[in-house]
Amino acid sequence: MLVEGTMRWQVTEDAPMALMLALAFRDMAGLGKRCVAQLPAVTPGLERVDVVGLDLDALAVQFDGWWTGIARRDTRLFMAEVRPPHFEVFDRALDLQELAYRAYDDAHRWASARIREYERALAGRSPSRLTDVYELIRERQFELRRQSSSFRLDLEVLPICRPGAWVVAPDTIVVSESLRDDREAFREWLRPLVHGLV
């Protein structure tokens, strides 16, 4: 995770495994129109998993409950990891637990590969990717002739098939890899947000 900030403000950037797995499960089960519908499908796409025997309405409700808990960084820390062999985090969400049994291996392989790609992109970039954020905040403080207001912003960089950014929880924005990797487009997207926060 990348962190930039001061005592008054903090911006983080990450590509968290929990969100990667969740979107992989969502797409593999065909829940894209029911769950986290504002986020387009992931890329590269995943093969659908057999959902015969699962109650899709219950699965969607269980998925939404899980997503609500993991969307924010500060609540994600209190959620158990999705781990085989029993997927105990889903002990009270049996349809979601069954989906995990059916989809975990492929979803985990896919998510791990995407995280490695993200880490390679970070290693190959100099200066730090959050330098843009720091510079925009500093410019805005200079324009206002004062320190920033207090705020926190968590940027979750995910392999979404369409460039863009989506607010998924207070303080939390999912940013597509394609937007994040386009420095000028990212700065143009971020500028009005920084103006509002600072």
Side-chain angles (χ1 to χ4, degrees):
M1 179 185 336
L2 300 175
V3 180
E4 183 67 68
T6 67
M7 295 292 286
R8 300 180 70 81
W9 60 270
Q10 180 185 66
V11 177
T12 68
E13 179 184 319
D14 199 8
M17 175 62 83
L19 298 187
M20 294 272 195
L21 280 176
L23 292 182
F25 285 168
R26 179 199 70 171
D27 287 7
M28 292 174 79
L31 295 174
K33 294 200 183 326
R34 294 175 178 227
C35 301
V36 200
Q38 79 268 28
L39 294 181
V42 296
T43 185
L46 292 128
E47 292 290 320
R48 288 282 182 96
V49 69
D50 181 6
V51 292
V52 171
L54 297 180
D55 180 337
L56 294 182
D57 292 331
L59 179 59
V61 169
Q62 293 165 16
F63 181 94
D64 285 341
W66 177 43
W67 179 266
T68 299
I70 63 172
R72 292 181 60 169
R73 182 172 58 94
D74 55 349
T75 56
R76 187 181 317 135
L77 301 173
F78 299 102
M79 301 289 290
E81 285 184 49
V82 178
R83 284 192 323 244
H86 303 299
F87 304 107
E88 52 274 345
V89 68
F90 302 136
D91 277 350
R92 294 174 188 239
L94 298 181
D95 289 286
L96 189 52
Q97 188 176 56
E98 181 60 30
L99 176 63
Y101 279 114
R102 297 178 190 189
Y104 179 80
D105 288 342
D106 289 338
H108 190 269
R109 258 191 306 277
W110 178 88
S112 297
R114 304 296 75 76
I115 290 170
R116 284 192 300 275
E117 289 169 2
Y118 172 78
E119 289 170 348
R120 280 194 299 272
L122 285 181
R125 188 171 314 276
S126 181
S128 164
R129 285 166 61 121
L130 286 180
T131 299
D132 290 336
V133 176
Y134 180 77
E135 288 173 355
L136 286 172
I137 291 170
R138 200 177 79 206
E139 287 170 14
R140 184 63 175 154
Q141 289 178 129
F142 183 77
E143 289 170 5
L144 296 173
R145 291 175 168 68
R146 65 167 173 78
Q147 287 188 357
S148 171
S149 302
S150 296
F151 71 88
R152 190 180 97 216
L153 178 63
D154 299 316
L155 303 174
E156 309 299 5
V157 181
L158 299 176
I160 304 294
C161 70
R162 190 160 48 84
W166 300 265
V167 176
V168 295
D171 308 323
T172 306
I173 298 177
V174 166
V175 178
S176 69
E177 284 180 345
S178 54
L179 174 61
R180 189 60 186 101
D181 289 341
D182 183 337
R183 184 170 189 235
E184 289 309 311
F186 178 74
R187 285 178 67 95
E188 285 308 305
W189 166 78
L190 185 62
R191 182 171 278 108
L193 185 61
V194 165
H195 282 212
L197 290 171
V198 172

